[in-house]
Amino acid sequence: MKREKKLIIFPCRHVTLLFSLTRYSLSYITFNSGSGWARFSYRLAFISAAVTYGIVVYKALRARTRAGAKPQTGVLTLITDENVQYLAMALVWLFSPQYPLAMLPFGVYSVFHVATYTRTNLIPTIQPSPITGTSPSGKPIQKPNAIADTIGKFVKEYYDTSMGLVAILEILLWIRLLLSAIIFTRGSWILLAIYTAFLRARFAQSAFVKNSFGRLEAQIDSLVGRQGNPPAARQVWDGIKGGARTFHDATDVGKYVGAPPAAAPKKTS
C-alpha cells in the first residue's frame, strides 16, 4: 500500500503542473489570461514546480547526511546545484507578475519525467510483463511491454531535441524580460537581474544552453556581416559580444568553488 501511494503521489506533482499549463494556455490563446481560473492555473503550475524541486533538494541533503558526508550548504555551493536554481526560479515566478513563457521549460521537463516514471514504475506495477525464461545468471527474463517500449523510444528519440527547445525558451525568456525592462515594466529590472544570474548558471552547466547561444551568435554574426550593412552595426555587435565575455569571465563561479561544470541536465524524483 505504501509503494502504491508513492507511485501515485510522484507523478501527481508533474501532472498537476502539466494540467495547469494546459488550462492556462487555453485561457491565453483565447485572450482571457486575466481571468480568475487563468491566474489560479498560472500560480498552481509554479507551486507544483516549487514542491517538486523542493523535495529533490531536501532528499539530496538528507542523503548526504545519512551517508555521513558533511553537508555543503555554502552559498556558492548551493547556487551551483541546478535543482536549487530551478527551485529558486519557480518561487520567483510564483510571486512575480505573469510571464507565460516561464511556464514552458518546466512543462517540457514534466512531460519527460511523467513519461519516464510511467515506463519504469507505473506500467511494471499495473501491467507486469510475463516471465518467458531465465538468463544464464538465473535472473528471470520478462516479455517486453509494447507500451513501455513505445514510451522509451519516444524519450530516447526526442530528449535531446526537447532539451534544446528548453534552452531556446530560456534564452527567449531573457529577451522578453529585457524588453520589459527597457519599457520599465514594474519589477522588470529586478527580475532581469535574477534571471540573468540563473541563465548564466545554466550556460555553465548545460551543453544545450551553451550550444543554443553559440548558434545564436553565429546567426547574428552572419546577419551583421552581410555586404551592405553599415560598419556601425558590426561595431555595436562586437561591443555586445565583448561585454558578454567580460560578464562571463567575471561571474565564473566554478573558479571560486573549484567545481567543474556539469553537462547533464537536471533530474527530479
Side-chain angles (χ1 to χ4, degrees), residues 1 12 18 32 54 64 80 91 94 115 117 129 144 154-155 176 188 208 212-213 226 233 237 260 265:
M1 180 65 69
C12 278
L18 292 173
N32 198 27
R64 291 176 184 174
T80 57
L91 293 173
L94 175 61
Y117 197 81
S129 299
F154 169 82
V155 172
R176 171 68 177 84
S188 57
F208 297 104
S212 294
F213 269 111
R226 289 178 180 175
W237 174 235

Side-chain angles (χ1 to χ4, degrees), residues 73-110:
T73 55
V75 175
L76 290 178
T77 302
L78 284 176
I79 64 178
T80 57
D81 185 328
E82 51 192 2
N83 288 311
V84 173
Q85 294 162 10
Y86 276 94
L87 168 61
M89 286 312 306
L91 293 173
V92 167
W93 297 128
L94 175 61
F95 296 106
S96 301
Q98 291 185 14
Y99 284 90
L101 191 57
M103 303 173 69
L104 299 183
F106 291 98
V108 174
Y109 284 128
S110 287

Side-chain angles (χ1 to χ4, degrees), residues 8-269:
I8 295 174
I9 291 176
F10 171 83
C12 278
R13 304 193 301 264
H14 293 288
V15 171
T16 300
L17 193 156
L18 292 173
F19 174 79
S20 301
L21 173 58
T22 302
R23 179 63 184 83
Y24 182 85
S25 298
L26 292 174
S27 297
Y28 188 81
I29 62 179
T30 56
F31 304 100
N32 198 27
S33 59
S35 66
W37 270 112
R39 293 195 301 269
F40 174 76
S41 299
Y42 182 88
R43 302 302 173 189
L44 181 60
F46 288 114
I47 290 175
S48 301
V51 170
T52 297
Y53 289 100
I55 291 175
V56 172
V57 172
Y58 169 74
K59 285 184 176 180
L61 293 176
R62 187 177 64 175
R64 291 176 184 174
T65 302
R66 286 184 174 181
K70 183 179 179 180
Q72 298 178 350
T73 55
V75 175
L76 290 178
T77 302
L78 284 176
I79 64 178
T80 57
D81 185 328
E82 51 192 2
N83 288 311
V84 173
Q85 294 162 10
Y86 276 94
L87 168 61
M89 286 312 306
L91 293 173
V92 167
W93 297 128
L94 175 61
F95 296 106
S96 301
Q98 291 185 14
Y99 284 90
L101 191 57
M103 303 173 69
L104 299 183
F106 291 98
V108 174
Y109 284 128
S110 287
V111 167
F112 282 90
H113 286 304
V114 170
T116 300
Y117 197 81
T118 299
R119 178 177 65 86
T120 58
N121 293 276
L122 292 183
I123 292 178
T125 301
I126 298 173
Q127 190 181 25
S129 299
I131 297 176
T132 59
T134 57
S135 66
S137 61
K139 294 183 179 180
I141 300 176
Q142 292 183 313
K143 181 181 178 181
N145 185 290
I147 298 177
D149 287 347
T150 300
I151 295 175
K153 290 178 182 178
F154 169 82
V155 172
K156 183 177 180 180
E157 182 175 355
Y158 293 103
Y159 183 80
D160 284 354
T161 301
S162 298
M163 295 304 101
L165 174 62
V166 168
I168 293 172
L169 291 171
E170 289 177 340
I171 295 172
L172 290 176
L173 180 54
W174 185 87
I175 296 174
R176 171 68 177 84
L177 289 171
L178 177 63
L179 294 176
S180 295
I182 290 175
I183 62 175
F184 292 97
T185 302
R186 180 175 62 88
S188 57
W189 281 103
I190 297 175
L191 279 176
L192 180 62
I194 295 173
Y195 191 74
T196 297
F198 167 79
L199 193 58
R200 172 63 182 88
R202 300 303 305 135
F203 182 87
Q205 295 175 298
S206 171
F208 297 104
V209 174
K210 188 173 295 185
N211 291 338
S212 294
F213 269 111
R215 288 192 296 269
L216 178 62
E217 179 183 359
Q219 290 175 356
I220 298 179
D221 278 338
S222 176
L223 180 64
V224 301
R226 289 178 180 175
Q227 187 175 5
N229 286 341
R234 184 70 192 184
Q235 293 173 358
V236 170
W237 174 235
D238 287 341
I240 293 175
K241 289 197 297 182
R245 291 192 178 95
T246 300
F247 174 77
H248 172 275
D249 294 339
T251 56
D252 185 4
V253 178
K255 65 184 180 182
Y256 300 111
V257 298
K266 70 183 187 326
K267 296 181 181 179
T268 60
S269 59

